[in-house]
Amino acid sequence: MLRRIVGYGFSRSVMEALLGLRGIALASLLGPEFFGLWSLFRLALHYFGFIGFSLNRGMEVKVAAAGQPRSESVSQGQTSWGQITLGGSLAIGLLSTAVALTGFWLVEDSAKPVVLAVTLILIPERLWRYALTFTRAAGMFQRFAFLEFIYASLQLIITPVFALVWGLRGAYVGYFAATIASVCLAAPRVPWRPRCSLRRARQVFG
């Protein structure tokens, strides 16, 4: 268990370092004005992530409790809690997308690309957070560390390369592509058939 905890902490440090390098690369490629808009994009995603934040946390508790000790195989109980959470995440993602899209008509023209980028990435970002949280809660710590490393590496490589070619819009596309690729890599060990159960959803939120 101690080795798992140390490995988890190390993987988090590596991921943060790689994402920090991405920020340095984008700052030099985009310049002050466009990097400021990129920072606004990241800040908006961060705050939208708080909508329904307790859903993933609740799932983490339920999935961890439903697992088998010292086993990385996914039990039926864990799958069920994941499906309930996925249904809620998609509903919250659609609501967040509608809210963000409304803002498209309210902001200045210079900020419209930022709002559009946030609108398009909200659901893939939520799916990625769901997949990552489920993987960790199910006790698959090595896989979790691998997924975080791949995600951060893709962000470090794809986003600056796209930004070099297409500027700020390229950075948005690169972020989107890296997130989608990460979701696809996480998909095989995560339940993707959403379920709706108000009773169990209340347990997850609680």
Side-chain angles (χ1 to χ4, degrees):
M1 179 58 71
L2 179 60
R3 187 170 64 179
R4 286 186 173 187
I5 294 174
V6 171
Y8 171 74
F10 178 74
S11 71
R12 293 292 300 175
S13 300
V14 171
M15 187 195 74
E16 294 297 336
L18 292 175
L19 293 179
L21 290 174
R22 181 197 63 183
I24 294 172
L26 288 176
S28 62
L29 289 171
L30 298 176
E33 180 181 354
F34 289 135
F35 186 72
L37 291 174
W38 168 262
S39 299
L40 180 62
F41 163 77
R42 295 289 297 123
L43 187 64
L45 284 180
H46 177 74
Y47 280 108
F48 269 109
F50 284 112
I51 301 177
F53 180 74
S54 62
L55 188 61
N56 277 347
R57 293 305 178 194
M59 177 192 69
E60 193 161 12
V61 173
K62 297 296 185 182
V63 169
Q68 300 295 326
R70 299 181 181 180
S71 174
E72 291 195 355
S73 61
V74 178
S75 69
Q76 183 58 43
Q78 290 175 318
T79 298
S80 179
W81 285 116
Q83 290 171 331
I84 296 296
T85 304
L86 177 60
S89 293
L90 289 174
I92 293 171
L94 290 173
L95 176 62
S96 302
T97 299
V99 171
L101 191 58
T102 301
F104 182 81
W105 311 105
L106 302 177
V107 300
E108 298 179 356
D109 290 344
S110 60
K112 286 186 184 298
V114 179
V115 177
L116 183 59
V118 170
T119 301
L120 293 175
I121 196 63
L122 275 175
I123 291 181
E125 178 85 358
R126 187 163 290 277
L127 292 177
W128 165 241
R129 295 301 168 192
Y130 156 75
L132 201 61
T133 303
F134 183 90
T135 301
R136 180 177 60 200
M140 297 180 283
F141 294 110
Q142 288 185 340
R143 182 170 176 79
F144 175 85
F146 168 75
L147 290 173
E148 279 205 320
F149 175 75
I150 292 298
Y151 171 78
S153 299
L154 290 174
Q155 289 287 353
L156 176 59
I157 296 170
I158 298 177
T159 307
V161 168
F162 278 46
L164 179 63
V165 179
W166 293 295
L168 181 60
R169 285 183 172 83
Y172 294 148
V173 173
Y175 186 97
F176 183 88
T179 303
I180 291 294
S182 299
V183 171
C184 292
L185 286 172
R189 301 288 295 276
V190 177
W192 291 107
R193 181 178 296 176
R195 289 178 55 194
C196 180
S197 171
L198 292 179
R199 180 181 62 83
R200 302 198 80 181
R202 281 195 297 267
Q203 294 179 32
V204 174
F205 273 107

